Amino acid sequence: MYYKMEIEKVFQELGSGPTGLSEEEAAKRLEKYGANTLEAAEEFNILQALLSQFADPLIYILLVAAAFTALIRHFIDMWVILAVVIINAIIGFTQEVKAEQAIRPLVALAAPQAHVVREGRVSEQESAELVPGDVVLLASGVRVPADLRLFEVNRLEINESALTGESLGARKDTNLVTQEHPVAGDLHNMAFMGTLVLSGRGKGLVVGTGQQTELGKISEQVRRVKPAPTPLQVQLANFSRWLGYAILAVSAVAVLLGLALGRPLAEMILTGIAMAVGAIPEGLPVVVTITFSIGVKRMADKNAIIRRLPAVETLGSTTVIASDKTGTLTKNEMTVQLIWCGGHTYRVSGVGFKPEGKIMNSDGKTVNLQEARALELCLLAGLLANESRLAFDKERGYYPEGDPTEVSLIVSALKGGLDPDTQAYLYPTLDEIPFESDLMYMAALCRDTRKDNNLVFVKGAPERVLRMCSLVLSNSGEEEAPLEEPEIILDQYRAMASEGLRVLALAYRCEPAAVTELNPELLESGLTLIGLQGMMDPPREEVFQAIDQAKRAGVRVIMVTGDHQSTAVAIARRLKMVEGESVPVIAGQELERMPDEELYRRVGEVNVFARVTPLHKLRIVQQLIRRGEVVAVTGDGVNDTPALKAAHIGVSMGKGGTDAAKETSDMIVTDDNFASIFAALKEGRVVFDNIRKVILFLLSTGLAQIILILIALLLAIPLPLLPAQILWLNLVSNGLQDVALAFEPGEKGIINMPPRRRNEPVISRLMAERLVIIGIVIALGTLFTFVWSLSRGYNLAHARTVALTTIVLFQLFNVFNVRSEKISILRMRLLSNPFLFFSVVASIMAQVVIVYVPAFQFVFRTFPLFILDWILITVVAITVLAVVEGEKALRVFLSTRQAEKLL
């Protein structure tokens, strides 16, 4: 609460003064308060990451199955099962995301050195050694080393955008802050650790160090926040658990049934293991990881770098995007957009610091400055009454040196055709009055080399500059009329401000050549108002289309910003995030007093949150999640890190984002393009679709194997498949197709579908129905070929090889069924996914190898097949295509009939 206290009282409270602490006292306080550093993140635990790969119910079942096969001395089956478990663990471990390192970049923001006054002498100290009560000197380009209560400033301006989200530099003074519940951006007499001094000088008293600073509080929030599990993680965990229960139950029932029918115990244990191994989709964890990885590659091609694999799918199910404004929805580059002078309003095209654009009149025609002298003088005033400059290099392009607002005036002059170097030569500066918060204006005295007189140019807050003016300039630039109705000018200023513009007034006065110094008292009256220039941090051009795409995709976009309410609403209106005359907005002060229950209710209807702190942003995200939303948070500042971590997916900007935001986020947009998020969102939906296809493909085989083994048990015939053969089928043969399904391109119109419900099961009703149909067809077809083989007098190894090959070919045909839930394979291009076609060919070759190569015959107990066997197997297996195609056609017919009835 030091911002509310007179500086003398703050000195008294902290036992210090303008001359600082003694070295002895500083040492005592360092021991008491600790180093001025942020706590480091916990180390990554490799062993824990490795063991977590085995923490899955399905893996537990496989390990138990391996133990039982060892007990009955089926060692080949045991090693095959263990090999599957180990391969899954290795792949999962190598894909494990690096440990959370969000704190380290925050630590990097702390300034390494600071200029400190101790015992009346200025010395350079390690920032880590600062203590409450130290006096710190600030200068341009310095990073603030601790939280300071300012007691002396000279044109001090600090860039706090990384902390508060506000795009403009914060002007600092020493006046008391009297408002209740101010946010960080309102504390004009404070400087915060990690922020950057843009210009000016100042002295401040250290009032907070280390974890007690605003930056330290943010790092503590990041540490405490638990990342929200993604919808797919939750659903796959539930799916694995219930599938595990079902597999154990069915296997136990089969073993008990066999024992009741008089089957030997060893045979029934083998049967139970075969059923368990057959039902478990061993390849699923691997394929999910590979599908995510493919999504990562596709997203990287579209300028979205994924740092955590599950984030790939989460994007596809996102229902709310809570976006920062500055640098995310906007360019974070102040741009003059409107100019009013001589009774006319001009629009300025182009955005950012790149000096490309035009100045146009109300008819949309480019203005000739020779015909609009007032406009020329307005641009000239903004160019000369200026302490900043526009810089350029090949890597960064155009960038500001100094105040971005002042640089926007330079850019508008360039767009009007005024060259800064030429004008500086024609009007050399003789004297300046720098901007001071008390004055609320800046003035420059320039020599007019062409007329042998001097000109005073003034720019500042419109209310202040108007009080200094008695005349107003006409459009010709030659006539000056009395300023009799300043309220008209103020109305114009308010109209521009209502559009979210920051407005500066510009004025001038001719002075004799003998006047070479400026006197503030003589500027208090007698100036001529030239006009107004209104600038703002404009929306990114591509964001307009992205917001429209979001609406069509059923995704709600809300703005959560540290900027002012009027600016936030203006940007939201431009982007059509809000509509109507009255826009519901929640500001930081209101949020400070609002209980969670009320916030829970209001986050469902409010799309703009302004002047928020990091804690406010975190609360907003948490209440959205509580409402059942799948939340993505975009941001680029340190202030965004707690919310980035708490959300289901955090999205940071690659170019303008801080390291802290990048390290905390799940996805980095490398081109800072909001529209890239929607390209990634589409890929996220494709990923989930493909995972569903893989699950249907794998479970249909598993269900078929369960049905097959149960029927064989009831018919008292030998087990059609051995555990090792089932693992071959599930992991190697099927494994090629399920990996290929991960490369399926997205189906048409997927981006225009609404997001899937958070609690939507992995297996839809349609999938479940089709799963049963396919399972029955494969089981009966395989049983038929197995019984046929035995009836022809084949030995058991030969008959099992026929059954294994039948089920392999069934799945080779079935993989084309699962490419789409509704579209017929006849309407899909065979080579739209070339990986799938080649995987089928590779599977056939692999099956031929284990059937005819002796070494594989030994491991998998197979027998060479005859030509007649292959013909019968192919004819039987192709029936799965006919059955599913018929089922798809029936569904289309029934849905068409239902639609006709509704009409």
Side-chain angles (χ1 to χ4, degrees), residues 296 299-301 303-308 665-670:
V296 167
M299 290 180 184
D301 292 340
N303 302 310
I305 303 299
I306 299 296
R307 298 185 66 248
R308 296 175 177 86
S665 64
D666 303 284
M667 184 177 92
I668 301 171
V669 180
T670 58

Side-chain angles (χ1 to χ4, degrees), residues 439-486:
L439 291 175
M440 296 183 68
Y441 70 83
M442 182 250 174
L445 177 65
C446 300
R447 175 78 170 170
D448 186 346
T449 57
R450 294 179 295 183
K451 295 185 178 180
D452 197 30
N453 64 355
N454 294 340
L455 294 171
V456 177
F457 292 108
V458 176
K459 77 168 189 302
E463 302 98 323
R464 179 71 176 93
V465 173
L466 273 171
R467 292 201 302 269
M468 302 162 68
C469 295
S470 55
L471 301 170
V472 62
L473 194 67
S474 68
N475 189 45
S476 66
E478 304 295 337
E479 299 177 12
E480 298 176 352
L483 184 59
E484 296 175 345
E485 298 182 0

Side-chain angles (χ1 to χ4, degrees), residues 1 3-4 177-183 589 593:
M1 304 290 280
Y3 56 85
K4 284 186 172 182
V177 177
T178 56
Q179 71 185 80
E180 293 295 322
H181 307 293
V183 297
Q589 287 181 303
R593 302 186 298 269

